[in-house]
Amino acid sequence: MTVRPPEAVDRTDRSTCRSATWVTATTSAPCSGAEREAPGHRGACGYRPEHTFGSYDLALDLGADVVEAGDLVPTKDGHLVCRHEPEIGGTTDVADHPEFAARKTTKSIDGVATTGWFTEDFTPAELKRLRAIERIPANRPHNTLYNGRWEIPTFEEVLKWQDEQTRKRGRQVWIYPETKHPTYFRTLGLGLEERIAKLLRKYGKGNKNSPVILQSFEPSSIQQLNKLVDNPLVVLLSDANSRPWDFVEAGDARTVADLITPEGLKEIASYAQGIGPTIDLVIPKDADGNLTEPSTLVRDAHAAGLILHPYTARNENPFLPPKFRKGTAKDAYGDIFVLFQTYFATGIDGIFTDNADTALLARKDFLSGLHVNH
């Protein structure tokens, strides 16, 4: 989910803006003068196993206006499903299915050797026999209560769910899918962009006012989507020294550090409406993991007409800078409200979070001028 802070108002040109409202279990609305709302990262995965309808439903119950319903990966016959990664050993009970034991293998994905079971080796019917489990049980042991309860959603099911929830709740539900490892899947003949565009067109959701925001860590994927659909588009950005995998494959020597210069941001703005940087690009950390002074990224991105939805705010100690931790327990919550205020003060337009309720309350505090100081 994304939560939108206070002053993040219309910095984009309304004539070119593709969307009236941006919200995820994160919140943001770059093109409407209305107050920003909040969206959810893989649903409400701080409380339910990620990328399940249980997680998506709870994100909406908690107030998220946008749900990151879909890190999209394909099956062997090209259907799109929602998983954090194509490797599903860590997010499903596939290891408990002896009939699939022989499909365990090792593959190189974006240059990293990964062992497990992969969606591209299964049909949709086979994946439906599996059930989701908690991905980080050491940090979220309470989520393991729900292991085995929900299936793997397909993207088509998510698009239908979005319409059902919009009718049920009497308000437009937004989703924020991501193309996952698009270059890797293109080499397998399982390109993601055309498949996404086809489904969006089928459900009438590929237009500039459609409630679907598309994102990717690979700029070429966003550039391709820019030619296929009119949805709002976001380029995700990892660590400054990293290179998007499509750059690696194309021999492009640029790093993320090059993309976040004023010139790089201007180029991104020629085909996208926003960026989703790791929060460390907004407020860098020192060698001990402590926050330092904010960078100029927020100012530079806004100058280029881009909104910012950094990732990811989580409540548990291991994901927080040392100053904001409470105790040493891996599943204990730290001073997340103070940390949210620090993030919001940079002028970001939203932030992906696993805990929609926490983010929305923090946003309310910030907007009301309440300063939490624990």
Side-chain angles (χ1 to χ4, degrees):
M1 146 169 194
T2 320
V3 174
R4 174 107 181 191
E7 322 124 329
V9 282
D10 307 328
R11 295 189 173 91
T12 52
D13 182 347
R14 290 171 188 264
S15 66
T16 60
C17 189
R18 294 174 182 243
S19 158
T21 307
W22 296 52
V23 232
T24 54
T26 307
T27 72
S28 206
C31 302
S32 72
E35 194 174 273
R36 277 49 174 186
E37 328 259 344
H41 187 229
R42 304 174 197 152
C45 62
Y47 310 112
R48 301 289 187 272
E50 64 192 27
H51 286 316
T52 61
F53 283 118
S55 184
Y56 298 161
D57 286 341
L58 182 58
L60 294 178
D61 292 343
L62 294 176
D65 297 295
V66 177
V67 177
E68 193 194 29
D71 286 329
L72 300 179
V73 292
T75 63
K76 67 190 303 181
D77 47 359
H79 292 275
L80 298 173
V81 297
C82 304
R83 287 290 85 194
H84 174 55
E85 290 287 342
E87 198 291 302
I88 55 175
T91 60
T92 74
D93 62 358
V94 64
D96 297 331
H97 287 255
E99 70 272 29
F100 298 136
R103 297 195 200 178
K104 187 174 185 180
T105 187
T106 299
K107 301 189 180 190
S108 178
I109 299 181
D110 296 1
V112 178
T114 305
T115 299
W117 293 263
F118 299 84
T119 59
E120 65 267 27
D121 296 330
F122 290 77
T123 66
E126 289 172 332
L127 289 177
K128 284 297 183 182
R129 289 155 61 181
L130 309 179
R131 294 296 180 269
I133 62 172
E134 172 55 35
R135 184 174 61 87
I136 47 174
N139 305 119
R140 292 167 180 171
H142 50 282
N143 282 11
T144 63
L145 173 66
Y146 303 98
N147 285 355
R149 181 172 290 268
W150 291 292
E151 299 177 345
I152 295 176
T154 68
F155 186 44
E156 187 159 18
E157 288 172 340
V158 164
L159 293 172
K160 294 177 181 178
W161 167 87
Q162 180 186 21
D163 291 338
E164 292 166 358
Q165 293 298 317
T166 294
R167 290 191 296 269
K168 174 183 174 181
R169 297 172 188 269
R171 60 184 176 90
Q172 180 61 63
V173 170
W174 282 67
I175 60 173
Y176 208 143
E178 176 187 342
T179 63
K180 207 75 178 183
H181 305 293
T183 294
Y184 166 75
F185 285 118
R186 200 172 299 121
T187 63
L188 299 180
L190 293 169
L192 301 176
E193 295 83 7
E194 285 283 2
R195 288 173 167 84
I196 291 170
K198 182 178 179 180
L199 280 174
L200 291 178
R201 288 192 293 266
K202 177 179 177 179
Y203 288 91
K205 296 180 181 181
N207 306 310
K208 65 178 182 179
N209 293 319
S210 298
V212 181
I213 306 162
L214 300 171
Q215 58 181 332
S216 182
F217 278 100
E218 297 188 17
S220 63
S221 182
I222 294 299
Q223 290 171 325
Q224 187 172 349
L225 285 166
N226 186 47
K227 298 175 182 177
L228 296 172
V229 294
D230 290 323
N231 300 72
L233 304 172
V234 170
V235 175
L236 298 169
L237 300 166
S238 189
D239 299 336
N241 294 326
S242 67
R243 292 166 67 198
W245 188 251
D246 54 339
F247 283 19
V248 174
E249 289 288 322
D252 188 330
R254 289 179 298 166
T255 65
V256 167
D258 297 306
L259 297 181
I260 60 175
T261 63
E263 295 76 17
L265 293 167
K266 183 178 179 181
E267 179 186 338
I268 290 174
S270 69
Y271 58 85
Q273 288 66 51
I275 58 173
T278 170
I279 192 64
D280 291 357
L281 293 177
V282 177
I283 309 181
K285 293 185 176 76
D286 64 20
D288 296 320
N290 296 303
L291 300 182
T292 62
E293 291 299 311
S295 70
T296 63
L297 180 56
V298 174
R299 181 192 68 196
D300 294 342
H302 287 160
L306 296 166
I307 67 156
L308 297 90
H309 288 164
Y311 65 90
T312 303
R314 297 181 170 103
N315 288 2
E316 297 88 5
N317 273 329
F319 306 112
L320 308 180
K323 173 183 174 182
F324 298 91
R325 297 172 189 165
K326 287 185 174 181
T328 59
K330 292 182 178 180
D331 62 336
Y333 286 2
D335 277 330
I336 188 64
F337 289 111
V338 181
L339 186 56
F340 268 124
Q341 289 197 357
T342 305
Y343 290 155
F344 288 162
T346 65
I348 58 175
D349 302 287
I351 187 166
F352 281 90
T353 174
D354 293 353
N355 308 82
D357 53 341
T358 305
L360 286 167
L361 185 56
R363 178 180 171 276
K364 181 179 179 182
D365 291 344
F366 193 77
L367 287 168
S368 68
L370 175 64
H371 295 290
V372 180
N373 186 15
H374 292 166

